[in-house]
């Protein structure tokens, strides 16, 4: 089996992960829609924007598979049972927040693209989904947990940054606000529950000082990765950072453009700020 993750160990309190930048499409995907449609779901090139991390001693976790095959930023209960051939004996969502993603076709295994295009012309077997969980979801979350635990053990606190990108305009099935124009950055901490809000606002203030338009928790609050790997009361902070793709790439050709170099410098300055920041001492 192909390697599904790329990881790098760290020596600092900071952990970065990129769950949605993978472009290695597994042979068992069996999708029916065009690859070009699926590629619009990728957080394309996010791993390149942060490729300075290792040199700064920052731990790194990256999914090499695409989110449309398996979205590790979902709970394993976020299953669309209508996609499955036969019974599903695992947990299924019950609360409205989890059900909302499933209804959009964006559960653990996607049914629709961001623009509402059906991904499959078949039902998936229950064993097929279990294999994806075992080979993708479980090792990814294990790797993030290990990196966060090690960072916290070394320094007494950890800062986990969940790295994403977003299209300049929301697709029809991406969020509950189709067609909305996205700002340059969205900083998400699930309304202050996954990180000290002062830390989240420090990130936003830094980016604003660099000239960017920044929003908090709208339209992206952060999902499973920041929820699962955070505990601010125990000095474990997780924050989602969404960057607008128009800042660094052509959204039609997927090619990097000249803005990528400036954005990368600015993201490095943000990471360097976080490396100088002990959340326990924030005023």
């Amino acid at each position: 089996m192909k390697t599904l993750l790329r990881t790098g160990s760290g020596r600092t309190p900071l952990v970065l992960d990129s769950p949605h930048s993978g472009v290695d499409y597994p042979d068992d995907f069996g999708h029916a829609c065009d690859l070009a449609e699926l590629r619009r779901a990728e957080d394309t090139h996010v791993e390149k924007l942060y490729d300075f991390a290792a040199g700064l001693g920052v731990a790194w976790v990256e999914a090499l598979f695409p989110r449309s095959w398996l979205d590790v930023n979902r709970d394993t209960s976020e299953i669309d049972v209508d996609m499955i051939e036969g019974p599903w004996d695992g947990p299924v969502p019950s609360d409205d927040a989890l059900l909302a993603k499933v209804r959009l076709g964006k559960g653990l295994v996607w049914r629709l693209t961001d623009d509402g295009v059906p991904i499959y012309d078949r039902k998936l077997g229950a064993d097929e989904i279990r294999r994806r969980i075992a080979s993708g979801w479980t090792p990814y979350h294990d790797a993030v947990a290990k990196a966060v635990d090690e960072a916290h053990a070394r320094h007494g606190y950890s800062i986990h940054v969940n790295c994403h990108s977003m299209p300049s305009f929301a697709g029809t099935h991406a969020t509950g606000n189709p067609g909305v124009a996205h700002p340059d950055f969205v900083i998400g901490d699930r309304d202050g529950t996954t990180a000290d809000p002062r830390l989240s606002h420090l990130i936003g203030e830094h980016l604003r000082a660099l000239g960017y338009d920044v929003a908090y928790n709208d339209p992206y609050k952060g999902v499973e990765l920041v929820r699962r790997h955070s505990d601010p009361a125990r000095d474990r902070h997780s924050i989602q950072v969404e960057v607008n793709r128009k800042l660094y790439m052509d959204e039609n050709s997927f090619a990097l453009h000249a803005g990528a170099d400036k954005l990368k410098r600015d993201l490095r300055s943000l990471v360097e700020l976080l490396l100088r920041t002990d959340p326990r001492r924030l005023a």
Side-chain angles (χ1 to χ4, degrees), residues 211-249:
Y212 294 107
D213 176 25
V214 181
Y216 292 98
N217 291 308
D218 183 26
Y220 301 107
K221 296 178 184 291
V223 197
E224 183 64 12
L225 279 153
V226 296
R227 187 199 69 78
R228 181 173 291 268
H229 299 289
S230 65
D231 189 349
R234 295 175 58 225
D235 299 308
R236 295 170 178 255
H237 305 273
S238 289
I239 297 172
Q240 179 174 284
V241 174
E242 291 267 7
V243 58
N244 197 312
R245 292 173 198 155
K246 71 180 182 182
L247 295 174
Y248 69 90
M249 65 176 273

Side-chain angles (χ1 to χ4, degrees), residues 154-194:
R154 282 191 300 267
H155 300 278
Y157 70 92
S158 57
I159 301 173
H160 164 223
V161 178
N162 184 224
C163 306
H164 294 262
S165 70
M166 57 190 169
S168 50
F169 291 89
T172 59
H173 288 67
T175 69
N177 300 291
V180 68
H182 289 143
D184 295 332
F185 282 89
V186 179
I187 309 304
D189 60 11
R190 294 180 66 87
D191 298 318
T193 63
T194 67

Side-chain angles (χ1 to χ4, degrees), residues 6-20:
R6 181 181 291 124
T7 62
S9 59
R11 61 179 185 274
T12 70
L14 192 56
V15 175
L16 304 183
D17 84 292
S18 179
H20 292 160

Side-chain angles (χ1 to χ4, degrees), residues 64 76 95 98 111 115 128 131 135 156 160 187 191 193 198 200 205 223 227 230 235 238 241 276 280:
L64 302 180
T76 52
D95 69 72
L98 298 183
R111 176 171 50 86
D115 293 317
E128 184 177 2
R131 284 194 300 271
S135 63
H160 164 223
I187 309 304
D191 298 318
T193 63
R198 294 172 297 178
S200 304
E205 289 161 8
V223 197
R227 187 199 69 78
S230 65
D235 299 308
S238 289
V241 174
R276 299 192 300 270
R280 299 170 298 184

